[in-house]
Amino acid sequence: MDAKQAANGDTVRVHYTGTLADGTEFDTSVGRDPIEFTLGGGMVIPGFENALMGMAPGESKSVTLEPIDAYGPHDANLVQVVERSRIPDEIDLQVGTGLQTSDGSGNTVRLTVIALDDDNVTVDANHPLAGKSLTFALELVEFAGS
């Protein structure tokens, strides 16, 4: 009997390591429990989910995702300059500092400081991995419940 292959609706446990084009590791499950999610549930980026389709438990592969299948393209409209005086003094601003605000609908928006001077702070609301190609080393550990 052939081993079961991953399909939509299956709950899988996966080990992964994600790297950027220059080899920099941005995330891994190595040393932790594998992540568990249901294929087709939209809990992970589309290309990650699609790469697992058809894999059997114990199978490994590497896949490189273009931005459209990962966190999307970098949107220049999500980069804004705000007056330094609009940010509370107790916040220690540096390039890379993460900030949170709310949009007009009350949704939380995460911002990253990408530049600053005495008068202005430039913030980026794009996901930090937007616009980047991502490579994942994947291992389908098992199906949940098996």
Side-chain angles (χ1 to χ4, degrees), residues 45-111:
I45 57 176
F48 189 100
E49 196 169 79
N50 292 339
L52 293 166
M53 297 293 187
M55 287 180 68
E59 189 176 343
S60 297
K61 73 171 158 181
S62 180
V63 61
T64 298
L65 307 179
E66 294 305 315
I68 193 72
D69 294 319
Y71 290 96
H74 186 272
D75 182 350
N77 293 322
L78 296 178
V79 176
Q80 297 185 354
V81 177
V82 295
E83 294 175 18
R84 175 67 179 93
S85 61
R86 294 184 56 202
I87 298 175
D89 288 336
E90 63 269 15
I91 296 177
D92 179 25
L93 289 177
Q94 299 176 31
V95 171
T97 298
L99 304 172
Q100 283 188 179
T101 189
S102 295
D103 65 15
S105 304
N107 299 311
T108 299
V109 177
R110 297 183 194 287
L111 307 168

Side-chain angles (χ1 to χ4, degrees), residues 12-145:
V12 295
R13 291 190 179 114
V14 177
H15 270 306
Y16 68 92
T17 297
T19 54
L20 301 175
D22 67 3
T24 302
E25 185 177 295
F26 62 84
D27 196 10
T28 186
S29 66
V30 174
R32 305 190 311 244
D33 289 335
I35 60 168
E36 181 176 310
F37 61 93
T38 301
L39 291 171
M43 297 302 296
V44 296
I45 57 176
F48 189 100
E49 196 169 79
N50 292 339
L52 293 166
M53 297 293 187
M55 287 180 68
E59 189 176 343
S60 297
K61 73 171 158 181
S62 180
V63 61
T64 298
L65 307 179
E66 294 305 315
I68 193 72
D69 294 319
Y71 290 96
H74 186 272
D75 182 350
N77 293 322
L78 296 178
V79 176
Q80 297 185 354
V81 177
V82 295
E83 294 175 18
R84 175 67 179 93
S85 61
R86 294 184 56 202
I87 298 175
D89 288 336
E90 63 269 15
I91 296 177
D92 179 25
L93 289 177
Q94 299 176 31
V95 171
T97 298
L99 304 172
Q100 283 188 179
T101 189
S102 295
D103 65 15
S105 304
N107 299 311
T108 299
V109 177
R110 297 183 194 287
L111 307 168
T112 303
V113 175
I114 59 170
L116 64 136
D117 60 29
D118 290 341
D119 300 317
N120 296 302
V121 178
T122 305
V123 294
D124 187 347
N126 285 284
H127 187 282
L129 296 173
K132 298 184 185 320
S133 295
L134 309 177
T135 299
F136 287 98
L138 302 170
E139 178 192 358
L140 177 56
V141 177
E142 63 186 352
F143 293 99

